[in-house]
């Protein structure tokens, strides 16, 4: 398995995977049927949507996990030049892993790669939004050293990240 920068060739595979992850979240956490969401809204959801894919590809902070040629995970990030009083913070827009490949450390590897690249680009912290009902996500963030168990936004101090 390899973690590589997001590219145009990944667009269709990432879109399918991201929408599957969003659908899972909508149905599990928000308790809405995917089919009940308006089609135009579904087309706009996610960082892989037509109007935002290029932005995240160009950010240098978005990656895919590949098993052979198959995209099995993704992370979309961007540099925020001022957030919560901190200059240069990486914002994690979305991260997801194919259901068949979960519990294999892929999310961890994607988050590490994002943090490493963010640090190289001068970020001081990584901000990530976590659904408080998402135990797996909370555990992943804790394993990486994020602070904020009782918050929806977790913060990783990159000065202590190695």
């Amino acid at each position: 398995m390899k973690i590589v920068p997001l590219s145009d060739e990944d667009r269709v595979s990432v879109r399918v995977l991201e929408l599957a992850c969003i659908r899972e979240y909508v149905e599990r956490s928000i308790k809405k049927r995917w089919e009940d969401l308006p089609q135009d809204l579904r087309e706009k959801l996610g960082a892989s949507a037509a109007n935002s894919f290029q932005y995240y590809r160009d950010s240098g902070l978005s990656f895919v996990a590949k098993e052979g040629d198959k995209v099995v995970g993704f992370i979309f990030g961007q540099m925020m030049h001022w957030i919560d009083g901190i200059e240069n913070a990486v914002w994690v827009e979305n991260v997801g892993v194919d259901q068949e490949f979960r519990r294999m450390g892929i999310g961890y590897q994607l988050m590490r790669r994002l943090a490493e690249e963010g640090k190289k680009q001068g970020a001081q912290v990584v901000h990530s939004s976590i659904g408080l009902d998402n135990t797996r996500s909370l555990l992943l963030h804790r394993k990486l050293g994020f602070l904020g168990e009782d918050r929806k936004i977790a913060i990783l101090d990159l000065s202590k990240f190695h």
Side-chain angles (χ1 to χ4, degrees):
M1 209 258 306
K2 59 187 175 183
I3 307 293
V4 296
L6 180 67
S7 71
D8 286 333
E9 294 78 36
D10 303 319
R11 183 181 168 86
V12 172
S13 298
V14 170
R15 183 68 181 156
V16 169
L17 179 55
E18 186 180 30
L19 284 178
C21 292
I22 292 170
R23 179 181 185 152
E24 181 183 350
Y25 172 77
V26 164
E27 292 179 347
R28 184 192 73 236
S29 297
I30 301 177
K31 307 286 190 227
K32 291 214 180 246
R33 286 178 8 105
W34 181 253
E35 296 78 15
D36 292 342
L37 296 178
Q39 179 65 29
D40 63 323
L41 173 62
R42 286 186 272 159
E43 289 173 8
K44 293 176 186 174
L45 290 173
S48 62
N51 63 346
S52 57
F53 181 86
Q54 183 177 347
Y55 174 80
Y56 285 101
R57 184 205 61 209
D58 293 347
S59 74
L61 293 167
S62 298
F63 301 92
V64 292
K66 290 187 173 182
E67 185 65 47
D69 289 334
K70 180 180 179 173
V71 172
V72 298
F74 63 86
I75 191 164
F76 290 101
Q78 64 176 300
M79 184 72 73
M80 305 294 285
H81 294 291
W82 193 260
I83 186 169
D84 285 342
I86 298 170
E87 191 174 359
N88 294 334
V90 173
W91 174 258
V92 178
E93 184 66 32
N94 201 1
V95 60
V97 176
D98 185 308
Q99 282 187 339
E100 295 179 31
F101 291 85
R102 291 182 184 164
R103 312 292 298 159
M104 297 180 180
I106 295 170
Y108 178 84
Q109 291 178 53
L110 286 162
M111 291 287 280
R112 274 200 66 82
R113 179 71 186 270
L114 173 77
E116 290 165 355
E117 189 58 37
K119 189 171 183 176
K120 285 180 194 172
Q121 291 186 26
Q124 297 178 41
V125 300
V126 176
H127 275 242
S128 183
S129 176
I130 306 171
L132 296 178
D133 62 335
N134 191 340
T135 306
R136 290 182 183 157
S137 183
L138 288 167
L139 292 172
L140 168 65
H141 285 79
R142 188 177 304 139
K143 182 176 181 181
L144 282 159
F146 278 81
L147 306 172
E149 294 174 17
D150 299 329
R151 299 175 58 189
K152 284 190 172 191
I153 303 295
I155 298 171
L156 176 61
D157 182 348
L158 291 178
S159 69
K160 299 173 183 165
F161 184 79
H162 53 277

